[in-house]
Amino acid sequence: MNMQRISEVVLLVAGFALGLCACHTVKVNKHKPWIETSYHGVITENMDIVQLDPPLVALDKDAPVPYAGEICAFKIHGLEAPFEAVVLNGTSGEGQLRAKGLVDCELQKEYTFIIQAHDCGAGPGGTGGKKSHKAVVHIQVNDVNEFSPVFREAQYHTAVTEGKIYDSILQVEATDQDCSPQYSQICNYQITTTNTPFAIDRNGNIRNTEKLSFEKQQQYEVLVTAFDCGQKRSTESVAVHIDVKPVCKPGWQGWDKRVDYEPGTGSKQLFPKMNLETCGGLLSSVRTTVELQTSHIGKGCDRETYSEKSLQKLCGASSGSTDLLPAPSASTNWTASLVTDSERDSDLIFRFDGRQAAKIPDQVVPQNLTDQFTVATWMKHGPNPGLRAEKETLLCNSDKTEMNRHHYSLYVHNCRLVFLLRRDFIQVDTFRPAEFHWKLDQICDKEWHYYVINVEFPVVTLFVDGVTYDPYLVTDDWPIHPSQIDVQLTVGACWQGGEVTKPRFTQYFRGSLSGLTIRPGKIESQKVISCLQACKEGLDINSLESLGKGIKFHFNPAQSILVMEGEDLENMNAALRKVSYINSRQFPTPGIRHLHISTSVQCFGEDTCIFIPDIDAVVMVLQPSEPRITIAGVDRLTRPAADLRGPAGLTLFQDLHIISTVTKGDTASHHTGRPGVQEEIIHNLDYCDILVLGEELRPEQESLQLQRSTLLGKHLDATNSTSGMSIYGVDSMSNYEQVIRQVYYHNWHPVQTPDRKFRLTCSELNGRYTSNEFTLEISVLHKSEAGEHVNHMVAPSQYMQVVPHLAMVHSLYPTHGPGAPSAATVVIVICIAALVVVVVLGIYRIHLTHQQEGRNSDTTKERELDWDDSALNITVNPMESFQEPQGAEEEASEEDEEDDDEEEDDDITSAESNDSEEEEEVPGALSVKQGSKRGQLDWDNSTLTY
């Protein structure tokens, strides 16, 4: 309170005192106490003293009269306020306002109530006391910062699109339970997570400080804390999750960049979950191209890697073609100087860089090309900038000297294929079709293609990958007049022998060639051409019937490119999910195959439409289970020299067996430690070689032979030399077995030749898989050794056929005992021996007659009955029959017969049993089975030596 007011109070009190003194004797407790009309107080929560303004003081004019002028109490009226007023000094009237208990601002911030002062009355008993007027008290409860901020949410979650800067991605909010604005308001927020591209303002708004990338990070989690205005921090931070969404980009979604393909599983879907995202754009049509790129696999596809000749046999091509680019060898040395690419998994490839060419020897060049012939080749060629005006010659037949006339040639000019055919002058000197031009993208696309030119003059047709193309331009020229000039056929360039000072090559080819052939006199059918270039791998569509009527599709001939078109987006998505990869090779080439998908769309009524990015993926062909080719059989033969001298010779591999196995479960066995399961499989072979080990064969006295009739009906051929025999062609293992079992070794003078060894190996896929090296050793028994074997019952088949019958003759005449034979018995035995000699001579004459008739008759039998006279040196010792008892002779006779029967059964193979002929009855009860024993096989005069 101010000083003036205090002075007034003091004067008033003094006046009251003077009045009381003057009237003391008159009246007691005449006046009521006096207090202020209103009070304002402040109390801090959790405290009990109220600070009042003005202070609580009651005055009474009766002072200093005892009791009447004293203040005895302050009483509170009204609400049940948690306060009480106490008198500190009754004489001065000072009082104090206190809280009865703890005051909580969060429960009630303000209180208002009524207070009155009471004096002590007229006497000590308090009677006659007076009350002051009622004063209003207003009390405010001051807050204490006892609560921490708390976030309204346990965690926050939002999503943003990549590539944008946001002013506010998300707003977090915290609250405080304190009652005052100072402590209940949140004055600040803070991100406690470090190294994040986000910031937050004092209102809780989170923003990104840089552009977010879906590829870099797809989700962020940041922690945020809050502070109230009293700088009290929240007890727990809140987690804020921010997802980064990619910008909606039109394109294909749901596809894998790599698809693994296990060999032998047939067709596999490439994009089973694929769909096209248009970002809300409405499309009127979609066109998608799926391309399988296999240019790094051989000739652009995983074809069977058999030789060109074998493929021609498999496809039924006409015989008589001439290979102008064979593998270099002693007999085909004209390709030795060319650059080859041997890393391919297919036929030999020749690369021409504009500097190499080859002359074809005159004895190899097909002569007298008629009005019908075929030229075929594999070619890989690309554009050559700066050389567009120069011709690039694949094949050229030109004058060797004097002049420079081109009789026929095949060349590329400005990415156009041109075939030149100049006809010879016959009767009429008129223009005739001479140059045939084709303009195709394949000629310069740097990919492998199979080109076939069928000539049926004057019609010339081109096949590229099995598809027919007619020439877009045909030009005429004069015929070539006859001359005595020799011609030169070249590959890779054209020979210029005349009109120049020095003959040279010109018009070099730049590209790759393989399998360049000419077949005179006949053209190939389209079926054969398609077979020769057929691809073993490609694209496929599962369930063509379910594509829907609105989907159009088209495959190229090699099925490496698929084009699909439709108007309905969902139908197109479903169609693309059905596209699959297939590889029908039994042992495909492992590695990657690239996939490229391009898409173009059209929109409704818009000049510009959305752009669909291309897709690049790969098909990974896993390593196939490799076959193990095993050759088994008898690896040592011991035969008398007579077997080798006979016309039939010695069958080398009569007990041969070829099998192939693979180990299944290689991956599982690797992890479990268990061996894989061996399974026998059936596949083709492409060659088997029989190699002579040691000294080569001596042509004047020994050879390997094979009947040509054995090859009939099979895709096999054979070559023969002094170093061995090669059987080649793509055919089954069983057919190879049948042919190899019929290979004979013939030696006219085995005494002069040491024991022979032969090694047999077989191959599949041009040596990609080879068999074990099976070695066969031939031991020759000479005359003394053969006799010793006869005495020990191990005689060759010629002996085994006569001995049983002789034993039967002995048993007809039993001896009288272990002593010396009687003279009669000796005479009888000599007579029987003479009779046997007569019978043998008779059979020999019959054989000579039969052989003479067989030479004059035209028979289709592969083998004729023939008797080998080299095995007829039979010597019967009469004295041997008297050295053992009769029972022993009979037992020996029975054992000889059983051994003879067993040997017959063992010597008959499945191939020979079908060719067995009926027995021919011979006088003297001696019968000979044709084809049942090796030593008695008659050699057909039609047998050819390769």
Side-chain angles (χ1 to χ4, degrees):
M1 72 186 61
N2 53 38
M3 297 302 295
Q4 183 178 359
R5 190 174 186 84
I6 294 174
S7 300
E8 291 178 352
V9 171
V10 173
L11 291 175
L12 181 60
V13 171
F16 278 175
L18 292 174
L20 289 174
C21 293
C23 302
H24 179 67
T25 58
V26 180
K27 188 177 182 179
V28 178
N29 199 13
K30 182 179 178 180
H31 300 90
K32 297 185 296 185
W34 178 90
I35 58 176
E36 295 288 346
T37 58
S38 63
Y39 293 91
H40 293 275
V42 176
I43 185 174
T44 301
E45 61 179 349
N46 301 325
M47 304 292 287
D48 59 350
I49 304 301
V50 179
Q51 303 295 327
L52 284 178
D53 184 22
L56 181 59
V57 177
L59 301 177
D60 195 325
K61 292 182 179 182
D62 292 328
V65 177
Y67 302 111
E70 296 177 358
I71 303 300
C72 284
F74 292 95
K75 292 186 178 181
I76 295 176
H77 303 279
L79 299 176
E80 297 179 356
F83 297 99
E84 61 179 358
V86 297
V87 178
L88 298 179
N89 190 332
T91 303
S92 62
E94 293 182 32
Q96 189 179 53
L97 192 63
R98 299 176 181 177
K100 294 180 180 179
L102 296 179
V103 180
D104 193 349
C105 178
E106 285 72 37
L107 295 179
Q108 190 168 344
K109 297 179 180 181
E110 295 181 349
Y111 294 91
T112 301
F113 52 86
I114 302 299
I115 190 173
Q116 284 182 313
H118 291 256
D119 59 17
C120 293
T127 58
K130 295 184 181 294
K131 299 182 292 184
S132 69
H133 61 273
K134 295 178 180 179
V136 179
V137 180
H138 297 281
I139 296 177
Q140 179 180 349
V141 180
N142 285 345
D143 189 19
V144 174
N145 194 5
E146 57 182 331
F147 293 100
S148 300
V150 177
F151 288 94
R152 292 187 179 275
E153 304 289 342
Q155 62 178 3
Y156 292 87
H157 193 282
T158 188
V160 296
T161 304
E162 65 174 347
K164 294 182 179 180
I165 297 293
Y166 290 85
D167 293 334
S168 177
I169 296 175
L170 176 73
Q171 184 179 18
V172 297
E173 184 179 0
T175 60
D176 196 315
Q177 295 182 7
D178 289 314
C179 63
S180 64
Q182 179 182 2
Y183 299 135
S184 64
Q185 291 184 356
I186 307 300
C187 286
N188 193 21
Y189 293 91
Q190 181 179 340
I191 295 176
T192 60
T193 305
T194 59
N195 299 324
T196 59
F198 300 99
I200 190 170
D201 61 15
R202 61 187 307 166
N203 294 322
N205 292 306
I206 299 176
R207 60 182 176 86
N208 57 318
T209 58
E210 63 184 46
K211 293 181 179 180
L212 305 180
S213 171
F214 177 79
E215 294 183 357
K216 181 180 179 180
Q217 190 166 344
Q218 301 178 10
Q219 187 182 64
Y220 293 88
E221 180 180 336
V222 295
L223 297 178
V224 178
T225 189
F227 296 87
D228 61 18
C229 293
Q231 294 304 306
K232 193 174 186 66
R233 179 175 177 169
S234 59
T235 305
E236 295 182 355
S237 299
V238 70
V240 180
H241 300 277
I242 301 174
D243 294 333
V244 180
K245 298 190 304 183
V247 175
C248 184
K249 299 177 181 178
W252 292 102
Q253 297 180 354
W255 54 277
D256 296 325
K257 292 185 178 180
R258 168 173 167 165
V259 179
D260 289 340
Y261 180 81
E262 185 176 352
T265 56
S267 177
K268 181 171 183 177
Q269 284 181 272
L270 295 174
F271 316 108
K273 299 179 180 179
M274 193 171 185
N275 68 285
L276 182 61
E277 175 63 58
T278 62
C279 296
L282 298 178
L283 308 180
S284 60
S285 66
V286 180
R287 179 185 176 90
T288 301
T289 302
V290 183
E291 182 178 0
L292 179 68
Q293 299 174 343
T294 58
S295 57
H296 62 290
I297 306 293
K299 296 170 185 173
C301 169
D302 197 15
R303 294 178 171 86
E304 295 288 4
T305 54
Y306 298 124
S307 66
E308 195 71 24
K309 290 184 178 180
S310 297
L311 283 177
Q312 289 175 359
K313 277 196 171 185
L314 285 175
C315 295
S318 303
S319 59
S321 64
T322 301
D323 188 1
L324 301 181
L325 286 176
S329 66
S331 59
T332 58
N333 56 1
W334 67 88
T335 60
S337 61
L338 301 180
V339 179
T340 60
D341 190 348
S342 59
E343 296 180 357
R344 301 290 184 180
D345 191 21
S346 58
D347 282 334
L348 197 60
I349 292 172
F350 294 86
R351 289 189 289 112
F352 297 86
D353 60 359
R355 290 175 293 183
Q356 294 91 17
K359 292 182 180 180
I360 309 300
D362 293 339
Q363 66 271 17
V364 178
V365 178
Q367 302 296 326
N368 300 324
L369 291 182
T370 62
D371 289 345
Q372 286 190 343
F373 64 93
T374 298
V375 179
T377 186
W378 285 93
M379 181 178 73
K380 180 180 180 181
H381 181 265
N384 294 298
L387 301 172
R388 296 182 61 84
E390 184 176 349
K391 297 179 180 179
E392 299 178 54
T393 302
L394 286 76
L395 179 69
C396 181
N397 184 271
S398 59
D399 290 335
K400 185 177 293 187
T401 57
E402 299 182 19
M403 302 182 71
N404 190 30
R405 298 176 301 175
H406 293 187
H407 296 258
Y408 62 87
S409 66
L410 179 64
Y411 61 91
V412 176
H413 188 209
N414 292 338
C415 288
R416 290 165 172 79
L417 188 67
V418 182
F419 180 66
L420 171 68
L421 180 62
R422 299 283 303 277
R423 305 297 293 177
D424 293 336
F425 177 82
I426 300 177
Q427 292 179 348
V428 182
D429 192 5
T430 60
F431 267 21
R432 297 184 182 182
E435 278 190 341
F436 303 85
H437 300 250
W438 292 272
K439 182 180 180 182
L440 303 172
D441 295 335
Q442 294 93 320
I443 298 172
C444 283
D445 64 358
K446 297 182 180 180
E447 300 289 345
W448 280 105
H449 298 285
Y450 187 56
Y451 298 83
V452 178
I453 296 178
N454 275 348
V455 178
E456 288 184 292
F457 194 81
V459 178
V460 177
T461 305
L462 172 68
F463 293 85
V464 181
D465 297 332
V467 180
T468 307
Y469 295 94
D470 293 326
Y472 79 96
L473 175 64
V474 178
T475 58
D476 298 337
D477 202 349
W478 296 103
I480 294 180
H481 288 271
S483 65
Q484 301 299 321
I485 302 174
D486 293 333
V487 293
Q488 177 65 60
L489 183 63
T490 57
V491 174
C494 207
W495 180 253
Q496 188 174 6
E499 303 176 0
V500 289
T501 56
K502 183 179 180 180
R504 58 184 176 87
F505 285 112
T506 185
Q507 300 176 4
Y508 283 97
F509 177 69
R510 295 171 179 84
S512 298
L513 297 177
S514 178
L516 178 58
T517 61
I518 295 181
R519 178 176 288 104
K522 192 173 183 180
I523 63 173
E524 283 295 2
S525 65
Q526 187 168 3
K527 180 180 179 181
V528 172
I529 294 172
S530 299
C531 175
L532 289 173
Q533 63 87 40
C535 186
K536 295 293 182 179
E537 67 175 344
L539 300 173
D540 193 16
I541 297 180
N542 292 332
S543 181
L544 292 174
E545 297 78 8
S546 62
L547 281 183
K549 298 181 180 179
I551 301 297
K552 301 177 182 178
F553 69 93
H554 172 71
F555 281 104
N556 68 331
Q559 285 198 210
S560 60
I561 299 177
L562 168 63
V563 180
M564 305 185 74
E565 187 173 359
E567 298 179 354
D568 184 78
L569 182 59
E570 291 302 320
N571 288 342
M572 278 294 295
N573 289 336
L576 262 294
R577 296 187 191 112
K578 299 179 186 300
V579 178
S580 60
Y581 168 82
I582 188 170
N583 194 322
S584 59
R585 281 191 63 178
Q586 191 173 16
F587 307 110
T589 304
I592 64 172
R593 275 73 164 158
H594 294 279
L595 283 170
H596 183 77
I597 303 176
S598 57
T599 305
S600 61
V601 298
Q602 292 183 354
C603 301
F604 288 101
E606 295 183 7
D607 296 335
T608 59
C609 198
I610 61 177
F611 172 74
I612 306 298
D614 292 351
I615 290 177
D616 288 301
V618 296
V619 176
M620 177 62 70
V621 178
L622 304 179
Q623 180 74 36
S625 299
E626 297 190 356
R628 181 178 180 181
I629 306 171
T630 304
I631 303 175
V634 177
D635 58 358
R636 183 180 181 87
L637 295 177
T638 302
R639 292 292 184 268
D643 283 12
L644 278 65
R645 286 196 301 266
L650 176 64
T651 305
L652 293 180
F653 304 99
Q654 192 166 0
D655 299 315
L656 178 75
H657 292 283
I658 304 175
I659 63 172
S660 181
T661 57
V662 296
T663 302
K664 296 293 185 180
D666 291 339
T667 304
S669 62
H670 176 73
H671 294 291
T672 60
R674 299 178 180 176
V677 178
Q678 293 284 338
E679 293 185 5
E680 185 173 349
I681 62 171
I682 303 299
H683 60 83
N684 291 329
L685 300 177
D686 53 8
Y687 71 80
C688 287
D689 288 339
I690 303 172
L691 180 65
V692 179
L693 299 181
E695 183 183 354
E696 292 189 356
L697 299 178
R698 303 172 182 178
E700 68 279 1
Q701 70 180 44
E702 57 181 340
S703 68
L704 289 175
Q705 296 180 350
L706 179 66
Q707 290 182 342
R708 178 169 290 275
S709 59
T710 308
L711 303 175
L712 295 178
K714 302 177 180 65
H715 299 295
L716 297 178
D717 207 341
T719 58
N720 198 359
S721 67
T722 57
S723 59
M725 178 180 291
S726 179
I727 302 169
Y728 59 90
V730 181
D731 213 329
S732 64
M733 289 184 288
S734 62
N735 281 348
Y736 266 94
E737 278 186 358
Q738 294 177 20
V739 173
I740 297 174
R741 287 174 180 173
Q742 302 302 316
V743 175
Y744 295 90
Y745 171 60
H746 194 193
N747 194 328
W748 293 274
H749 305 287
V751 178
Q752 304 175 7
T753 306
D755 294 347
R756 279 293 184 187
K757 288 185 179 181
F758 300 93
R759 177 179 295 167
L760 173 63
T761 57
C762 294
S763 160
E764 163 72 316
L765 299 178
N766 272 350
R768 180 174 170 186
Y769 304 115
T770 56
S771 70
N772 61 311
E773 295 181 347
F774 178 76
T775 302
L776 174 65
E777 184 175 353
I778 306 297
S779 297
V780 181
L781 290 176
H782 301 291
K783 182 173 277 188
S784 61
E785 297 174 347
E788 181 180 355
H789 277 68
V790 170
N791 292 333
H792 289 83
M793 302 303 294
V794 197
S797 57
Q798 291 90 339
Y799 292 90
M800 294 298 292
Q801 193 159 1
V802 180
V803 169
H805 296 284
L806 295 179
M808 291 175 63
V809 174
H810 285 299
S811 67
L812 293 177
Y813 299 93
T815 60
H816 296 282
S822 65
T825 304
V826 173
V827 173
I828 293 174
V829 171
I830 293 174
C831 293
I832 292 174
L835 179 61
V836 169
V837 172
V838 173
V839 171
V840 170
L841 291 177
I843 294 174
Y844 182 66
R845 290 183 59 86
I846 293 174
H847 161 68
L848 291 178
T849 305
H850 180 74
Q851 186 179 26
Q852 184 67 27
E853 292 174 355
R855 291 171 180 169
N856 298 331
S857 62
D858 184 16
T859 177
T860 60
K861 296 181 181 180
E862 295 183 0
R863 299 177 180 174
E864 298 293 341
L865 178 64
D866 194 4
W867 188 259
D868 187 3
D869 56 351
S870 64
L872 291 177
N873 297 325
I874 304 174
T875 303
V876 180
N877 186 1
M879 300 301 295
E880 289 183 357
S881 61
F882 298 102
Q883 295 176 2
E884 53 186 270
Q886 178 180 359
E889 291 176 356
E890 293 176 355
E891 183 179 356
S893 176
E894 292 173 0
E895 289 177 359
D896 289 344
E897 289 177 359
E898 291 175 2
D899 292 340
D900 187 71
D901 294 337
E902 290 175 2
E903 186 173 348
E904 283 189 22
D905 294 338
D906 293 338
D907 289 344
I908 297 178
T909 65
S910 59
E912 293 170 340
S913 62
N914 295 330
D915 297 331
S916 299
E917 299 178 359
E918 296 181 356
E919 295 183 359
E920 181 177 345
E921 296 296 333
V922 180
L926 295 176
S927 63
V928 180
K929 282 190 176 180
Q930 299 181 23
S932 63
K933 293 187 170 77
R934 295 192 189 93
Q936 292 171 308
L937 293 177
D938 185 24
W939 188 256
D940 191 351
N941 294 331
S942 61
T943 301
L944 297 179
T945 302
Y946 292 92

